[in-house]
Amino acid sequence: MPVAYVVVTVITIAVNAGMAVADFARAEFVLANSAEVGLPQSWLPTLATLKVAGAVGLAVGLLGVRVIGIAAAVGLVLFFVGAMAAHFRARVFHNIAFPGTYLALAIASLGLVIAQ
């Protein structure tokens, strides 16, 4: 198993799990960002659950179930494309680096798991 695949995927798992915790806890920065992009607070638990599912799926992929890792990475790519779209739609660019970074990590994880 290539080191790059493991490192990038573990980082992707960690950031998504961390953000899911912040979403579930309704952290102040999460609520502020959600309000800025016009996201109803009622969506936060669902979005957090999707992040957790992606992180767990990537971990399962690391453990050898490649198809689950691929599905999880695809799901996270789509999730963060949606997050980027929400930022662009709302014209909120001051913090676009965050969903952009998460999208880049998801894309890198997808590319690396496919290369396995």
Side-chain angles (χ1 to χ4, degrees):
M1 188 174 303
V3 173
Y5 168 55
V6 173
V7 170
V8 169
T9 303
V10 167
I11 291 169
T12 306
I13 291 167
V15 298
N16 280 284
M19 282 308 301
V21 169
D23 289 352
F24 280 127
R26 296 180 180 268
E28 203 170 304
F29 75 92
V30 170
L31 296 177
N33 186 57
S34 298
E36 268 191 297
V37 299
L39 178 75
Q41 288 185 19
S42 62
W43 287 20
L44 288 177
T46 302
L47 297 177
T49 301
L50 291 172
K51 291 174 191 172
V52 168
V56 169
L58 288 177
V60 170
L62 274 177
L63 294 174
V65 187
R66 188 170 169 263
V67 68
I68 299 296
I70 292 171
V74 167
L76 287 172
V77 167
L78 294 174
F79 182 95
F80 288 110
V81 165
M84 294 290 288
H87 278 258
F88 279 101
R89 179 188 50 80
R91 300 183 199 283
V92 176
F93 302 116
H94 67 90
N95 60 358
I96 197 99
F98 292 103
T101 299
Y102 301 141
L103 175 60
L105 284 167
I107 291 169
S109 293
L110 177 59
L112 289 167
V113 71
I114 287 172
Q116 292 303 304

